[in-house]
Amino acid sequence: MFDFSGKKVWVAGHTGMVGSAVVRRLESEDLAGLVLATSSEVDLRRQAAVEEFVSDHKPDALILAAARVGGIHANRSAQADFLYENLMIAANCIEASRRAGVKKVVNLGSSCIYPREASQPIAESSLLTGSLEPTNEGYAIAKIAALEMTKMYHRQFGYDAISLMPTNLYGPNDNFDLVTSHVLPALMRKIHDAMVTGADSVEIWGTGNPRREFMHVDDLADAAIFAARRYSGEEHLNVGVGDDIAIRDLASLIAEVIGWSGEFVYDSSMPDGTPRKLLDVSRLRSLGWKHRFDLTSGIEQTYRWFVENEA
């Protein structure tokens, strides 16, 4: 059990969508303070820089949200970069924390660690039982290495480091760039732009048939704090909502929220990615945690943020 009261918490990657949500969630805790640094202040890919930073600031806990992330196009076109950068970030932060005596580490990963053809819903035991989705293999391998690192540190050193594997995330501070973003923010941007310009159609990559599970990022932040308090096991935990939706139905839902009534055109020459990705979240639920946002209200909240900050 980890008590946040009076503690200093390092949120690595605090400017990103996940890290900023964790910072928002920690505002309600009685902390001694937050330890925050931008990538220009400390390069997490450099071991010496990370060790010096942790030694200087002496946090009590680390929530590791820093990562290089992107959608299918970004991952597919820079596999080596995604592998190297995410591997270095995780290894440097976890090892520096252990060396400095940081009491708790929460490593945040991704559901892309699981085999492309994993049985649905995907249980934690599906890890390393089959081939990965080729379009994001580099990123996935780095995330697998990070969760195995927390597991081995737990075994060898008795170190209280845990790993959480969230499903597809969305929310405030998401990346809405059409080239590098994930599917939900990309659809939101495309449909919003169509409404603004009066376009009567929107093109969507793939067939629209793949099914995805989506969780609001504030729910992940809450799960991270919950797990930090309640869980110290070596096995990773899935974090999700336990339900999924076809991409074409997601597009229709976003269009309804935005108020656009045009037509969707599907480019089946582009890759669909994994056919389905729904997580088995029974282990985390058995500990007493459940998400708060339903998909419609989460999209409504995210779209309001988008209009105020990005549009």
Side-chain angles (χ1 to χ4, degrees):
M1 300 288 286
F2 181 82
D3 183 2
F4 281 93
S5 298
K7 302 296 195 304
K8 291 173 63 178
V9 180
W10 175 25
V11 182
H14 75 283
T15 61
M17 177 177 66
V18 174
S20 60
V22 171
V23 169
R24 285 196 300 275
R25 175 60 182 80
L26 286 170
E27 288 174 353
S28 62
E29 300 294 327
D30 183 24
L31 302 178
L34 287 169
V35 177
L36 308 173
T38 64
S39 57
S40 61
E41 292 171 315
V42 57
D43 187 344
L44 300 181
R45 299 167 300 179
R46 302 290 177 257
Q47 182 178 7
V50 178
E51 290 186 352
E52 181 180 3
F53 177 82
V54 177
S55 178
D56 288 346
H57 290 84
K58 297 178 174 57
D60 298 292
L62 161 64
I63 299 180
L64 180 50
R68 176 168 177 169
V69 298
I72 289 178
H73 175 78
N75 271 276
R76 189 174 58 172
S77 60
Q79 294 267 21
D81 290 339
F82 275 81
L83 173 58
Y84 169 77
E85 293 189 26
N86 287 295
L87 192 60
M88 292 301 102
I89 288 169
N92 291 337
C93 290
I94 295 169
E95 171 64 1
S97 295
R98 183 190 70 84
R99 286 176 175 268
V102 176
K103 299 294 190 299
K104 185 85 182 194
V105 171
V106 180
N107 169 53
L108 302 178
S110 167
S111 59
C112 73
I113 62 169
Y114 293 114
R116 185 179 192 275
E117 304 294 341
S119 298
Q120 306 289 321
I122 308 171
E124 287 89 349
S125 58
S126 294
L127 180 66
L128 300 176
T129 60
S131 300
L132 298 167
E133 162 59 38
T135 56
N136 63 1
E137 192 173 9
Y139 179 77
I141 289 171
K143 290 300 181 181
I144 291 170
L147 79 84
E148 291 292 335
M149 191 173 182
T150 61
K151 181 189 298 183
M152 300 309 166
Y153 274 45
H154 190 281
R155 289 181 184 176
Q156 182 173 340
F157 305 117
Y159 192 50
D160 194 1
I162 64 172
S163 288
L164 306 181
M165 297 298 122
T167 190
N168 298 283
L169 300 170
Y170 70 96
N173 290 314
D174 207 341
N175 172 20
F176 294 90
D177 180 87
L178 291 178
V179 176
T180 60
S181 63
H182 289 101
V183 61
L184 192 152
L187 286 173
M188 186 172 288
R189 164 71 75 178
K190 282 185 175 184
I191 296 168
H192 172 83
D193 289 350
M195 184 188 67
V196 170
T197 62
D200 57 8
S201 67
V202 165
E203 182 181 85
I204 297 178
W205 279 13
T207 63
N209 295 324
R211 299 185 68 84
R212 293 291 183 270
E213 178 183 18
F214 295 95
M215 181 171 64
H216 194 283
V217 70
D218 285 347
D219 279 331
L220 171 60
D222 187 65
I225 304 310
F226 176 92
R229 280 201 174 99
R230 306 284 187 87
Y231 185 69
S232 294
E234 69 172 39
E235 298 298 330
H236 64 283
L237 294 175
N238 287 340
V239 187
V241 300
D243 194 15
D244 61 2
I245 185 173
I247 297 301
R248 62 177 63 248
D249 294 331
L250 174 68
S252 297
L253 176 57
I254 294 173
E256 182 180 340
V257 168
I258 291 176
W260 180 77
S261 57
E263 175 187 12
F264 294 110
V265 178
Y266 295 90
D267 182 0
S268 58
S269 69
M270 300 305 291
D272 271 338
T274 303
R276 191 183 188 198
K277 195 166 64 172
L278 174 65
L279 294 183
D280 179 346
V281 295
S282 57
R283 287 185 63 201
L284 183 56
R285 282 190 177 174
S286 71
L287 296 175
W289 185 87
K290 191 176 187 296
H291 67 286
R292 294 182 299 111
F293 281 90
D294 64 81
L295 187 56
T296 300
S297 63
I299 289 173
E300 289 171 345
Q301 188 252 29
T302 302
Y303 184 60
R304 288 194 298 271
W305 185 92
F306 170 81
V307 169
E308 293 170 3
N309 295 274
E310 295 280 340

